[in-house]
Every structure is written in structure tokens, then in C-alpha cells.
Amino acid sequence: MDLSLTQSALGLASGSLVGFTLGLVGGGGSILAVPLLVYLVGVTNPHVAIGTSAVAVAVNALANLGSHARAGNVKWRCALVFAVSGVVGAFGGSTLGKMMDGQKLLALFAVLMLVVGALMLRKRSGEGDKDVRLARDNFPKLVGIGLATGALSGFFGIGGGFLIVPGLVMATGMPILNAVGSSLVAVSAFGLTTASNYALSDLIDWPLAALFIAGGVFGGLLGTRSAKLLAGRKGALNTVFAGLIFVVAIYMLVKSLNLV
């Protein structure tokens, strides 16, 4: 679509908000990208919002992957098996998503947001096997869970980190820090797969995606600095952000189902 000056500014601001929340509370921030694009920026086609969001998610994940890789937090073999199997699921999920009615897709997206909000309220344990490796016992689990999370990621055009992180822990028993770092390999792969599939159908607004990404970089830096200052209040921040997700999800359900 042709972006007005107001829409461009809102796109930049929306990207900044998503980047800020990702930097502040970690996984789950990108779930706000689609509702912001639809209800704030004014993208009328939900499929374009999902495709554009997928580009931003992939770029953001790739940027964060570098820092985790340098810190040694990525279990590369486990992450690659998970990501490769998930790419198959992401392609199938994104193909199915393009075929669905836009408003029904938004309603299902709202339901997913309620699940994300609930998951954010759960406390994560940092314990796990730091020496975990790819082996015969965890290979089938990585493939199966990767395929399933990839399908959901592709269907909704999201990063899926809130599913990938516990999926990696469930499949391998790795510590949460390694799961977070390793999840970015899959988030990047799923986002690129979904974005490519939507791009083939011309369902990405590239200028808006660029604005969203630029805003996300700025917001992410600010969010990361704020997270250091508010490190002792991480639980409270997660609770507040989960509450925000619940409110947005309910609004999306009301709008998409024409309940008022």
C-alpha cells in the first residue's frame, strides 16, 4: 500500500515498541507486531500484516543471534536439526495461512495471544544439562517438536520463541539460557521461510517492513538498557506485559468476530 506520512511514523513507532518489549522482557514481544500493523498502522489486509511481520521477526532474530553465539549460548547441532525440520512445518503453515479468510486468521491469532500471555506468567527454571549434545534419544524429539512449532510459526507469521524455547528444553533438557540462544536459529529460519512464502504471493509491504525493522533496532537498544536497570523487577515486567497481551487479544477477538 502507499504509506502516508502518518502511517510511516506509526510504522516506525510500532517497530520501536516491539523492539523495546523484546529487549525489556525477552520472548513474546513480536506477538504484538501483527495487531499493531492492522489496528494502529492501518494495514487493511491481515495477510500483508503477517507477511510484513515475518520479515521483521527474521531480521530481529538474526541480529540477536550474533550476540548469543558470541557468548557461547547456542547449541548449534540441536538448533540446526530443530530449525531444518521446522522450516518444512513453517512452509506448510504459511501456505495454509495464506488460504484462510483474513478475519478468521486474526481471531485465531488472538486466541494464540491469550496462550502467549499465559505462558509469560510462568516462571522459567534455569537448571538443565549444560553438556547436552545431539544424540539418538533427542533427535526424534527435536524433529517432531521442530516440525510442529514451525507449522504454528508459519501459519501466524510469528517468531514462535515462546514455543521454541520450551520445545528445546523438552526435547534435550538443555538450560534455559542455551534454549533462548538456540531458539534464535529456528526463529530466523522460520521467519525467513514464512516471509519468502508470502513474498511469492506479493503479500509483503517492503517499505513498511523497513520502517518497522529500523524502529525495532532503536527500540531494542533502549529496551535492553532498561532491562539492565530493572533487572530486579523482571517478574513484574512480565506480568504487566502479559496483561497488555491479554487486553490486545480480547480487542482483536471483539473486532474480528464483530461482537460489537
Side-chain angles (χ1 to χ4, degrees):
M1 65 180 186
D2 293 327
L3 295 173
S4 67
L5 185 60
T6 300
Q7 286 177 314
S8 297
L10 289 173
L12 193 64
S14 296
S16 298
L17 179 59
V18 169
F20 179 77
T21 53
L22 281 169
L24 187 64
V25 301
S30 61
I31 198 74
L32 289 175
V34 170
L36 283 171
L37 288 172
V38 173
Y39 299 111
L40 184 62
V41 180
V43 177
T44 55
N45 186 340
H47 293 106
V48 172
I50 288 174
T52 303
S53 169
V55 176
V57 164
V59 172
N60 183 78
L62 283 170
N64 288 318
L65 176 60
S67 59
H68 276 279
R70 287 191 294 273
N73 297 333
V74 181
K75 296 289 185 179
W76 286 103
R77 291 185 179 181
C78 292
L80 288 172
V81 169
F82 194 97
V84 169
S85 58
V87 162
V88 178
F91 183 81
S94 56
T95 300
L96 183 61
K98 289 192 297 182
M99 296 166 59
M100 279 202 69
D101 174 76
Q103 292 305 313
K104 290 181 180 178
L105 193 57
L106 287 178
L108 289 173
F109 193 98
V111 173
L112 179 70
M113 289 183 72
L114 294 174
V115 175
V116 175
L119 288 174
M120 288 194 70
L121 295 175
R122 295 177 59 188
K123 292 184 178 180
R124 290 176 171 179
S125 172
E127 298 179 1
D129 181 10
K130 295 181 180 179
D131 298 320
V132 67
R133 296 176 180 273
L134 181 65
R136 290 183 179 180
D137 61 332
N138 59 34
F139 181 83
K141 296 178 183 178
L142 285 167
V143 172
I145 298 174
L147 190 65
T149 54
L152 281 171
S153 175
F155 185 74
F156 291 109
I158 56 173
F162 63 93
L163 290 172
I164 296 169
V165 170
L168 283 168
V169 172
M170 187 187 306
T172 66
M174 66 176 64
I176 190 69
L177 181 60
N178 292 120
V180 170
S182 301
S183 74
L184 293 171
V185 177
V187 172
S188 303
F190 298 173
L192 289 172
T193 302
T194 302
S196 299
N197 201 349
Y198 273 76
L200 290 173
S201 300
D202 197 25
L203 291 172
I204 294 178
D205 189 318
W206 293 104
L208 180 57
L211 287 169
F212 207 91
I213 292 167
V217 171
F218 172 76
L221 292 173
L222 188 61
T224 301
R225 290 185 178 182
S226 300
K228 293 179 181 178
L229 295 174
L230 300 170
R233 302 180 183 177
K234 184 67 181 291
L237 289 172
N238 277 350
T239 301
V240 170
F241 187 60
L244 174 62
I245 288 178
F246 286 138
V247 171
V248 175
I250 292 169
Y251 177 80
M252 287 181 69
L253 275 175
V254 169
K255 294 286 288 185
S256 58
L257 297 177
N258 294 317
L259 298 179
V260 292

